Amino acid sequence: MTNKGFLSAEKDRGILMVLSGPSGVGKGTVCAALRQRSTNLVYSVSATTRAPRAGEVDGVNYFFKTKEQFQNMIAEGELLEWAEYVGNYYGTPRSFVEETLNAGNDIILEIEVQGALKVKQQFSEGVFIFLLPPSLEELQCRIENRGTETAEAIRRRMQAAAEEIAMSEHYDYFIVNDHVDLACDRIQAIRTAEHCRKERYIPKLKHWMQEVL
Ligand code: 5GP
């Protein structure tokens, strides 16, 4: 008997996780906390035409692009998905996602709902997580307290939030972001469970059975 059929989960293709949720729910904070905690969960850095907020760094938080540069990326097929959100374009660079998964690492995309649904068409095996606020009042407070938006932008973001929540039935898991550490624990628990899925093992067990029988 050979030992080439080791059940080594690390050598499998990585898991693609998508984290969505209304603006202000704390996706960015949760992702930042996850990045600090876990050395092997890779974060996909999106391209956007939105202006950087204070403290945001090009290449770390986003790749900040002009509209023309973004349109070129679309034309060259460089984006796995893209969407227009509250007047700006956002998109996920494709090659980085593919390379990360092929190297056996898990990747998390923090993106809005329309983009997530486009990813689902291409990665049906992806894991789709929707982050919820403890209440809508709390969500509005969080957006207002960020202090970066005009009253009109806040109104549009609350409207977008309602539209996003209406689409959340397409997601596999829901997490209430009542506490960042707990939200991270729940995402890690989902990730662990997804690594134990039968779909990841059955092809290998078939290979074992061929060797034994
Ligand atoms: P923000 O302007 O608050 O950073 O992001 C606005 C929304 O765009 C958020 O819901 C965020 O998750 C989403 N977003 C960020 N990057 C991407 C992306 O690459 N694709 C899509 N479709 N949405 C994104």
Side-chain angles (χ1 to χ4, degrees):
M1 206 187 296
T2 67
N3 66 2
K4 66 181 174 191
F6 260 118
L7 291 180
S8 162
E10 289 76 32
K11 291 202 180 71
D12 285 346
R13 193 168 151 84
I15 291 178
L16 178 141
M17 301 175 86
V18 170
L19 184 69
S20 300
S23 172
V25 76
K27 298 184 297 284
T29 313
V30 168
C31 274
L34 273 175
R35 283 168 93 174
Q36 280 200 332
R37 255 190 204 206
S38 166
T39 51
N40 60 355
L41 177 62
V42 179
Y43 178 84
S44 162
V45 179
S46 297
T48 185
T49 58
R50 141 161 112 53
R53 295 192 185 118
E56 285 185 331
V57 177
D58 189 36
V60 175
N61 304 92
Y62 281 106
F63 295 108
F64 294 101
K65 303 284 179 190
T66 63
K67 215 165 183 173
E68 196 184 7
Q69 287 170 329
F70 196 95
Q71 276 159 351
N72 276 339
M73 292 179 86
I74 298 173
E76 296 295 323
E78 290 174 26
L79 298 176
L80 176 63
E81 61 73 36
W82 62 274
E84 194 181 346
Y85 183 90
V86 195
N88 286 302
Y89 291 111
Y90 296 83
T92 306
R94 181 193 301 277
S95 59
F96 184 72
V97 172
E98 295 283 359
E99 285 160 18
T100 303
L101 294 174
N102 289 340
N105 294 314
D106 296 345
I107 191 164
I108 188 158
L109 278 54
E110 186 225 304
I111 63 177
E112 54 69 62
V113 175
Q114 303 166 64
L117 296 184
K118 289 185 208 155
V119 174
K120 199 168 187 182
Q121 288 166 1
Q122 300 169 69
F123 290 88
S124 56
E125 73 284 15
V127 181
F128 294 79
I129 303 173
F130 197 88
L131 204 59
L132 288 166
S135 70
L136 280 182
E137 291 74 22
E138 173 70 22
L139 182 70
Q140 180 147 357
C141 274
R142 288 184 194 176
I143 296 177
E144 286 170 358
N145 289 344
R146 195 150 67 184
T148 55
E149 316 285 344
T150 62
E152 172 59 12
I154 291 171
R155 196 192 61 76
R156 287 168 73 195
R157 280 183 184 261
M158 283 304 290
Q159 196 177 340
E163 285 163 15
E164 295 209 271
I165 292 168
M167 305 275 280
S168 62
E169 64 179 305
H170 298 286
Y171 285 72
D172 303 309
Y173 296 96
F174 287 82
I175 291 179
V176 176
N177 186 21
D178 41 11
H179 192 283
V180 174
D181 276 342
L182 287 178
C184 289
D185 287 347
R186 291 167 191 147
I187 292 174
Q188 288 288 32
I190 291 168
R191 193 178 162 206
T192 303
E194 289 292 328
H195 270 282
C196 300
R197 268 200 178 277
K198 67 177 184 180
E199 289 80 0
R200 295 175 75 83
Y201 283 87
I202 283 177
K204 290 183 211 163
L205 297 184
K206 285 194 175 140
H207 183 75
W208 271 15
M209 283 180 268
Q210 276 167 7
E211 283 206 4
V212 174
L213 300 177

